[in-house]
């Protein structure tokens, strides 16, 4: 069986896999990174969204072997317990979830929107850009609020304590 | 998925040799159509030849009035390209409404055109602009390329390397998207070139993308949305399914074509 090697959340990951292994399976079953969810497995719902070389993709629709040599970021790589990413913090603050199943994908998609469109996002733009992510609980309203707020919070912070473009802040802030 | 052998060649020549020598080989580009198809076991290739590691298959360049886009160029790159935006804004607009952001980050021009889904967007641009599809073997005019539902002039194993689009200013794409699938219920690409006028329609016909010649003829008198008032293609030729009857789609083609021509005339 072929060997695949990629960087996941900053660490090198390598394994001997069946060529059919999807990126999402590799993340969940080989690396035990179960934050990335499988909602539909038919490329529709976006629950499996991760960043592949910086771009949001549906990891149920990428073969692990296609990610050879790439850098993958999953929800686990965004923040840490006690050190949430501003977008995660915004989802918590604005109650942008109910069951939480879609949340990892929503957050990864939301961070990608900020990377492409900046920190001031209109409601229309957010709704349009979340096209690839389906939530069956919330009715989207609080998700949209959370994304707008999270985007603002990701702006390179003014003054001391801000960590600039990564948008990471300490939990104490 | 059925089991397959995976290949990751680093040249077009090698990729072509791999598909040719495989009993049932298939090219893999962005995988946004092929992987869902494999999961549903609607295809069972013995060998998958991934074009992802072949250099020079992606990229955008403008030479004179010809915009050339590599087959592996992703929809998101076309949508965001300042070169495409300046030379052929209608194409950037079209790429920006394919699927959703995640699909646009993976799906490629070559994959979309090779697949020729009857509701896909890029085939309308190729036909509406009179593009040239360039493969590892030859150049094929768009008028000779799209042969029906999922049918193209490509020979088995033939690889699209790039597509050359004439940079036409008076051009526009208007899409009436299906809200669930995101594909076109009807999409119309209208263009006024120096030599001719083209109106290409996707999503609607039972035979896939087509040029609506009756409309093209009428527009020769006056290139304006109004010219198409009251016109629609024969309903019998249109798809009739749970999403809409043939009559509905025929009517929609008329409406969307008028809007596309209006937008192209104003461009
Ligand atoms: C949720 C979702 C929504 C979508 N919405 C839309 C939409 O609104 N409009 C739209 O147009 N499309 C839509 N698509 C399809 C998407 O655009 C695909 O990316 C595209 O149709 C296929 O491109 P690909 O690069 O993913 O090709 P793949 O899936 O990798 O390949 C598709 C086919 O083309 C062949 N192929 C690939 N590259 C080449 C090449 N260079 N030369 C010869 N043959 C080749 C493959 O062998 C395969 O048969 C959607 C897809 C999804 C999953
Ligand atoms: S699980 Fe990947 S899109 Fe739904
Ligand atoms: S919170 Fe339950 S699916 Fe979105």
């Amino acid at each position: 069986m072929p060997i695949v090697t990629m960087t996941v959340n900053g660490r090198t990951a390598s394994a001997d896999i069946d060529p059919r292994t999807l990126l999402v399976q590799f993340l969940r079953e080989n690396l035990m990174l179960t934050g990335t969810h499988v909602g539909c497995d038919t490329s529709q719902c976006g629950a499996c969204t991760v960043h592949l070389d910086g771009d949001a993709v549906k990891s149920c629709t990428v073969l692990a072997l296609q990610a050879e040599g790439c850098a993958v970021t999953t929800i686990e790589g965004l923040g840490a317990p006690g050190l949430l990413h501003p977008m995660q913090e915004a989802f918590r603050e604005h109650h942008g979830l109910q069951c939480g199943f879609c949340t990892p994908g929503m957050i990864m998609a939301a961070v990608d929107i900020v990377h492409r469109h900046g920190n001031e996002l209109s409601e229309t733009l957010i709704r349009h850009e979340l096209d690839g992510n389906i939530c069956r609980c919330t009715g989207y309203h609080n998700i949209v609020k959370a994304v707008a707020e999270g985007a603002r919070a990701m702006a390179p912070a003014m003054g001391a304590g801000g960590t600039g473009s990564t948008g990471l802040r300490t939990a104490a802030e | 998925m059925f089991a397959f052998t995976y290949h990751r060649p680093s040249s077009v020549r090698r990729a072509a040799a791999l598909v040719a020598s495989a009993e049932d080989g298939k090219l893999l580009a962005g995988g946004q159509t092929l992987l869902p198809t494999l999961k549903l076991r609607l295809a069972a290739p013995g060998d998958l030849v991934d074009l992802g590691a072949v250099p020079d298959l992606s990229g955008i360049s403008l030479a004179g009035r010809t915009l050339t886009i590599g087959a592996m160029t992703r929809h998101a790159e076309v949508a965001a390209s300042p070169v495409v935006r300046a030379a052929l804004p209608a194409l950037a607009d079209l790429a920006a409404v394919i699927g959703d952001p995640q699909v646009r980050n993976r799906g490629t021009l070559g994959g979309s055109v090779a697949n020729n889904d009857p509701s896909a967007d890029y085939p309308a641009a190729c036909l509406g602009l009179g593009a040239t599809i360039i493969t590892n073997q030859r150049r094929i005019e768009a008028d000779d390329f799209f042969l029906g539902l999922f049918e193209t002039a490509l020979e088995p194993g033939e690889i699209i390397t790039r597509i050359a689009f004439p940079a036409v200013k008076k051009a526009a794409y208007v899409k009436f998207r299906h809200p669930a699938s995101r594909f076109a219920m009807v999409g119309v690409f209208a263009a006024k070139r120096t030599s001719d006028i083209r109106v290409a329609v996707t999503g609607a016909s039972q035979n896939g993308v087509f040029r609506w010649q009756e409309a093209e003829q009428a527009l020769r008198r006056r290139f304006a949305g109004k010219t198409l008032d009251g016109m629609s293609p024969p309903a019998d030729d249109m798809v009739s399914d749970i999403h809409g009857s043939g009559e509905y789609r025929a009517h929609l083609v008329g409406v969307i074509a008028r809007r596309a021509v209006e937008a192209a005339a104003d461009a």
Side-chain angles (χ1 to χ4, degrees), chain A residues 3-172:
Chain A
I3 291 174
V4 70
T5 306
M6 65 185 89
T7 307
V8 179
N9 300 333
R11 290 203 197 104
T12 304
S14 192
D16 203 348
I17 55 167
D18 184 310
R20 288 174 287 185
T21 309
L22 300 167
L23 179 58
V24 69
Q25 270 176 301
F26 181 74
L27 296 170
R28 290 178 55 86
E29 294 166 23
N30 287 68
L31 306 183
M32 308 310 277
L33 293 171
T34 53
T36 304
H37 293 167
V38 178
C40 63
D41 201 21
T42 58
S43 324
Q44 300 293 325
C45 77
C48 62
T49 301
V50 301
H51 295 180
L52 184 62
D53 282 343
D55 299 325
V57 303
K58 293 173 178 172
S59 61
C60 75
T61 316
V62 179
L63 293 175
L65 285 167
Q66 289 178 286
E68 171 69 34
C70 294
V72 177
T73 307
T74 70
I75 189 74
E76 289 91 345
L78 221 50
L83 191 78
L84 292 183
H85 182 280
M87 191 58 79
Q88 292 174 309
E89 187 55 46
F91 269 69
R92 185 172 74 162
E93 183 64 28
H94 292 274
H95 197 53
L97 61 144
Q98 285 178 24
C99 79
F101 197 87
C102 69
T103 316
M106 286 287 178
I107 291 177
M108 297 313 285
V111 171
D112 182 64
I113 299 172
V114 179
H115 288 160
R116 287 180 292 116
H117 293 282
N119 300 91
E120 286 301 322
L121 306 174
S122 72
E123 178 182 340
T124 314
L125 182 122
I126 295 170
R127 288 184 185 274
H128 186 73
E129 287 285 333
L130 284 178
D131 230 6
N133 294 77
I134 295 173
C135 173
R136 62 179 187 181
C137 303
T138 63
Y140 302 97
H141 197 66
N142 287 354
I143 292 178
V144 175
K145 275 203 283 190
V147 174
E149 202 42 58
R152 265 180 230 121
M154 279 172 68
M158 309 279 214
T163 52
S165 59
T166 62
L168 276 175
R169 291 179 185 190
T170 61

Side-chain angles (χ1 to χ4, degrees), chain A residues 128 131, chain B residues 75 90-101 103-104 112 117-125 172-190 200-204 248 252-253 255-261 263:
Chain A
H128 186 73
D131 230 6
Chain B
H75 308 331
L91 195 67
D93 293 342
L94 176 145
V97 296
I98 298 176
D100 55 53
V103 167
R104 293 196 288 275
S112 176
D117 185 297
S119 303
D121 299 296
Y122 269 130
Y173 182 65
V174 176
K175 174 179 184 176
F176 188 92
R177 78 205 290 254
H178 188 286
S181 80
R182 305 161 186 115
F183 278 89
M185 280 283 286
V186 168
V188 176
F189 199 105
V201 182
T202 189
Y248 173 78
L252 201 53
V253 170
V255 173
I256 299 299
R258 275 197 288 287
R259 291 183 190 169
V261 171

Side-chain angles (χ1 to χ4, degrees), chain B residues 99-149:
Chain B
D100 55 53
Q102 291 96 319
V103 167
R104 293 196 288 275
N105 278 335
R106 291 296 292 167
T108 68
L109 171 64
S112 176
V113 170
N115 195 49
N116 191 18
D117 185 297
S119 303
D121 299 296
Y122 269 130
C126 292
L127 205 53
L129 287 163
T132 307
I133 290 97
I134 301 161
T135 76
N136 58 333
Q137 299 170 14
R138 58 193 165 135
R139 303 166 68 93
I140 310 168
E141 295 308 318
D143 283 331
D144 305 322
F145 185 85
F146 301 102
L147 302 182
L149 304 186

